[in-house]
Structure formats: structure tokens, C-alpha cells
Amino acid sequence: MSDVRVVLVDDQHLVRTGLRALLERAADITVVGEAEDGRAAVAVTRDQRPDVVLMDVRMPGGDGIEATRRIRTDPTLADVRVVMLTTFDDDEYLFEAIRAGASGFLLKDTPPDALRDAVRVVAGGDALLSPAVTRRVIAAAARSPVEDPTRLAGLTGRERDVLAQVGTGRSNVEIGAALHLSPDTVRTYVSRLLHKLNARDRAQLVVIAYESGLVRPGDN
């Protein structure tokens, strides 16, 4: 796999400097650009075409959610993944960020090795949603629910079962154990769900599971 190219977006210079230092300790990760607000983030991303953008949620001069939406709706940036940099008091923004196209979240105090691993995971096409963060996303969504049960009309019963499990943040291994399926079979179901629901990644499946009413706050 070639080097992972990263753009850092945060209004605090010290935060960007610290993230750059941590990421570039890995030989396979290169920071190719920085931005201090949402508008600059879109411009740098269009110029550099990174694999991953680490985006602060709240910034002056254009917030991270709107910048994420602009990046993810630009057809020339279809391969760029956005991960939101968040703190524990940003819950109200989580669901909107996934709706905007974010592939997941990282806490700003994430340990260095976990930070580098997370960047690689997202660059490889996977979402970054732990069960704890997924529960927070669903709880945030509950404050302004938008349910559309017709969206799941084309799914089989088993596909709905798998989607419900994905919606609670479980891994393929955990889903397999719950539904008595092998992890490879679960992976096949997840791929089908992505195709049938025209979903970008696993993070968006969480949104769909909630908006369809299949998953509700408190489900686990």
C-alpha cells in the first residue's frame, strides 16, 4: 500500500503541529497540507487530493461539518475520506457530521498509535465508529429524528438483521456471534447493504439504520 496522504484542519496551530508530529513518526503517513478553517480546508483538499482529512468539528471561518459536506459532495474528491476531530462535549454535532459524509470520529486526545492506526483504517475504506461513539451518535440523532421506514423495503429479513447490528456499532465478528454467521458471511451482507442502500460506508449505514427506525436510542 502506498503512503497515506493526510490534510490536517484545526484552528489551533499547536494542535496541527502536534498531530503532524505524531502522524509523521510513521513511515507510511505523510501530511500534505494544513488548514485553519473550513473554507481553507476545502481549498487545500482540492489542491492536494489527500486520502484522509482530519477535520476539527468547530472552527471560526467555516465549520468542519459544512466543509465535510462540500468535500464529500464534490465528485472530483470522491476518494477523499473525512474523519472528525472531536471532544466529549461535541455530541450535538456527531450525527450531522455523519450525515455530511464523515467516515468517523477521533478524540483529540487519542493515543499516538491509535491515531496512526485510525488514519490507515479510514484510508483503506473502512469507517471509524466504535460502539461507544455509535451510541452517542444515535443519542444525538434522537433529538431530531427523521424516520423513513420505506428505505428498507428492498432488504431481506436477514439483511435487516445485519443492518440493525451494524447500527449499534458492532464489529463483523460480534454480529456473526449474535446472528450465528461467520465473519466472512457478515462481510458479504454488509457489502450487499452498502450496494442496496447506496451507502458510502459503514458510518452511513448507522445513519440509515436510525433514520429508518430500525435502531433506536437504548438499543444494544
Side-chain angles (χ1 to χ4, degrees), residues 107-130:
L107 292 173
K108 288 187 177 181
D109 60 356
T110 296
D113 286 344
L115 172 68
R116 291 185 286 265
D117 287 343
V119 166
R120 295 183 186 105
V121 165
V122 174
D126 291 327
L128 197 65
L129 281 180
S130 69

Side-chain angles (χ1 to χ4, degrees), residues 41-149:
V42 176
V44 172
T45 300
R46 286 175 175 158
D47 181 58
Q48 294 295 329
R49 307 295 173 89
D51 301 299
V52 177
V53 177
L54 293 183
M55 180 87 71
D56 191 13
V57 172
R58 293 180 289 183
M59 296 173 290
D63 70 84
I65 293 175
E66 178 57 28
T68 297
R69 185 176 291 110
R70 291 176 63 189
I71 290 169
R72 292 300 303 161
T73 56
D74 186 333
T76 68
L77 302 176
D79 294 332
V80 177
R81 300 281 177 151
V82 180
V83 175
M84 308 307 293
L85 293 170
T86 183
T87 59
F88 277 115
D89 61 356
D90 282 336
D91 279 19
E92 64 190 281
Y93 300 97
L94 297 182
F95 194 64
E96 283 306 310
I98 291 186
R99 274 182 170 160
S103 291
F105 301 88
L106 279 175
L107 292 173
K108 288 187 177 181
D109 60 356
T110 296
D113 286 344
L115 172 68
R116 291 185 286 265
D117 287 343
V119 166
R120 295 183 186 105
V121 165
V122 174
D126 291 327
L128 197 65
L129 281 180
S130 69
V133 170
T134 300
R135 285 192 292 272
R136 291 166 59 198
V137 169
I138 293 171
R143 291 191 280 272
S144 56
V146 179
E147 294 190 9
D148 178 16

Side-chain angles (χ1 to χ4, degrees), residues 10-12 36-39 56-64:
D10 195 288
D11 59 310
Q12 297 183 46
E36 63 182 12
D37 60 41
R39 285 192 293 270
D56 191 13
V57 172
R58 293 180 289 183
M59 296 173 290
D63 70 84

